[in-house]
Amino acid sequence: MTKIDIISGFLGAGKTTLIKKLLSEAFPGEKLVLIENEFGEISIDGGFLKESGVQISEMSSGCICCSLVGDFNKALKDVAAQFHPDRILIEPSGVGKLSDVIVAVENTVSDVPELRLGSSVTVVDAAKVKVYMKNFGEFYNNQVESAGTIVLSRTQKLSQEKLEAAVAMLQEKNPSAAILTTPWDQLDGKTILSAMEKVSLAEELLAKMRAEHEAEEAEHHHHDHGEHHHHDHECDDPNCSCHDHHHHHHADEVFTSWGKETPKVFSQADIERILTALDSGDYGRILRAKGIVSGTDGAWVEFDYVPEEHEIRAGHPDYTGRLCVIGAELNEKKLAELFGL
């Protein structure tokens, strides 16, 4: 199976810098092919990438998202047949439409079962979001709207206020993309790759809860057959999650999740106040909450919550602040207000 990742971005946004970082830090031991399509010119970075052991298929006679769609499909099939790589990185021209590149890849993937489209990434210069949206309209916005992940470059040059404003503009165009806001020098390539492949906190938490639920079901199955297993605790509270096994529901049928990604800065006191408030019942029946957010003084704060109990600790930088709440009858509006989002 060969994964295809598309890394797009407007001219000068930092695509090649990101690709270099991913090559050196995120794909150890993977056999890679990079397909570049510079707009009518030979790539000046070809030498560096060849030194990295990456085969380059130069395509410089035009733009893959217009005149070269047919040739592009052939090139992709040839690359897959010739090199059998683990991953193909496609770096389209900075002035192409990402949606056209995605369609071109999807058309090829439908013909070649061992290929699959992995991620579509757009690199965006954080300081130029507003002016580029205004001046380059359709082409720029298409790259933002079509991306599964938006990687912001040069965020360290922006004030917190301007960073949050840039993220808000991008989220308005694309509410579902993961948006990487942390300066790249604080992140390793693997963290960036996890953002590209979008494993959400909600998925992680629900998977953990499903595993616990299944273990509990198995324990009760033994218990009901006269084996000497018992509950860890007795509980008279009908709302407690320990009673959920009686209903034989899967975790994701009973619970809903609310989550946000945000560059917002939280102090430890903010998190303490928020997690304590989750016990009030005003926000729904909260069973779990988890997050890693940017803290004061450039630190990162991680937290975990179960009813009546929470933990706050120092964390490692993530691609942006992420938080998730899981429970029943969640009041999403009030949760957003509680977290100040």
Side-chain angles (χ1 to χ4, degrees):
M1 179 63 73
T2 300
K3 275 187 191 173
I4 300 172
D5 296 313
I6 305 166
I7 299 182
S8 71
F10 229 53
L11 297 165
K15 284 183 309 216
T16 305
T17 307
L18 177 65
I19 287 171
K20 287 177 182 177
K21 187 172 178 70
L22 290 170
L23 289 175
S24 60
E25 299 174 16
F27 309 130
E30 286 193 26
K31 188 173 181 186
L32 277 152
V33 171
L34 176 77
I35 296 181
E36 287 192 314
N37 169 226
E38 286 305 321
F39 194 60
E41 53 189 70
I42 298 296
S43 166
I44 54 168
D45 291 298
F48 167 84
L49 294 162
K50 285 193 178 77
E51 286 161 25
S52 303
V54 176
Q55 300 287 342
I56 298 183
S57 172
E58 293 277 4
M59 295 170 55
S60 52
S61 56
C63 176
I64 60 169
C65 45
C66 44
S67 63
L68 274 187
V69 170
D71 293 348
F72 174 71
N73 290 349
K74 182 179 182 302
L76 208 48
K77 289 173 184 173
D78 289 349
V79 157
Q82 189 177 343
F83 299 113
H84 305 289
D86 300 307
R87 193 182 296 264
I88 296 172
L89 295 182
I90 297 173
E91 182 185 359
S93 157
V95 292
K97 278 194 172 180
L98 178 56
S99 59
D100 289 347
V101 183
I102 292 170
V103 168
V105 171
E106 284 173 341
N107 288 342
T108 309
V109 167
S110 65
D111 293 341
V112 186
E114 61 270 22
L115 292 178
R116 88 175 170 83
L117 177 58
S119 55
S120 50
V121 178
T122 293
V123 184
V124 168
D125 185 328
K128 294 180 176 161
V129 173
K130 190 174 182 179
V131 68
Y132 278 17
M133 277 187 182
K134 185 180 171 193
N135 292 346
F136 299 107
E138 185 188 353
F139 285 104
Y140 184 78
N141 291 341
N142 181 274
Q143 292 195 358
V144 169
E145 289 160 359
S146 305
T149 304
I150 297 168
V151 178
L152 288 181
S153 61
R154 307 182 180 99
T155 54
Q156 62 272 43
K157 294 182 177 176
L158 291 191
S159 67
Q160 184 64 27
E161 186 184 3
K162 285 190 172 168
L163 177 59
E164 289 182 22
V167 169
M169 280 186 275
L170 294 167
Q171 284 175 333
E172 198 177 310
K173 296 281 181 203
N174 187 340
S176 61
I179 301 179
L180 187 149
T181 58
T182 305
W184 299 1
D185 55 3
Q186 294 179 28
L187 298 173
D188 65 28
K190 284 191 168 62
T191 305
I192 296 173
L193 185 61
S194 77
M196 288 165 55
E197 297 185 335
K198 285 185 76 172
V199 178
S200 75
L201 281 182
E203 285 164 10
E204 285 175 24
L205 268 182
L206 280 167
K208 189 176 177 185
M209 289 170 76
R210 272 195 291 272
E212 289 169 0
H213 182 71
E214 282 159 16
E216 213 172 58
E217 287 275 302
E219 187 172 320
H220 283 280
H221 181 72
H222 288 309
H223 187 68
D224 293 343
H225 285 75
E227 302 221 16
H228 298 293
H229 292 279
H230 62 275
H231 240 341
D232 287 340
H233 68 294
E234 291 184 12
C235 175
D236 299 322
D237 177 4
N239 290 326
C240 173
S241 61
C242 75
H243 292 274
D244 288 335
H245 60 263
H246 294 311
H247 306 298
H248 300 284
H249 287 311
H250 289 292
D252 38 6
E253 290 172 19
V254 180
F255 310 130
T256 55
S257 67
W258 172 85
K260 290 285 180 190
E261 297 194 348
T262 176
K264 185 179 163 73
V265 172
F266 293 83
S267 69
Q268 195 142 333
D270 291 333
I271 301 292
E272 187 71 50
R273 172 183 57 77
I274 288 164
L275 298 183
T276 304
L278 292 180
D279 284 324
S280 67
D282 294 342
Y283 304 92
R285 182 153 61 89
I286 314 292
L287 295 175
R288 292 282 170 91
K290 183 180 180 67
I292 172 141
V293 292
S294 190
T296 47
D297 304 324
W300 282 74
V301 183
E302 231 173 300
F303 64 83
D304 286 286
Y305 165 96
V306 293
E308 309 294 336
E309 200 180 311
H310 59 256
E311 182 192 355
I312 303 170
R313 58 190 176 275
H316 296 289
D318 205 341
Y319 64 83
T320 192
R322 303 191 289 156
L323 49 98
C324 174
V325 176
I326 289 179
E329 296 133 34
L330 297 183
N331 186 326
E332 297 192 1
K333 185 169 183 288
K334 289 191 77 169
L335 282 168
E337 287 168 3
L338 178 66
F339 281 92
L341 299 171

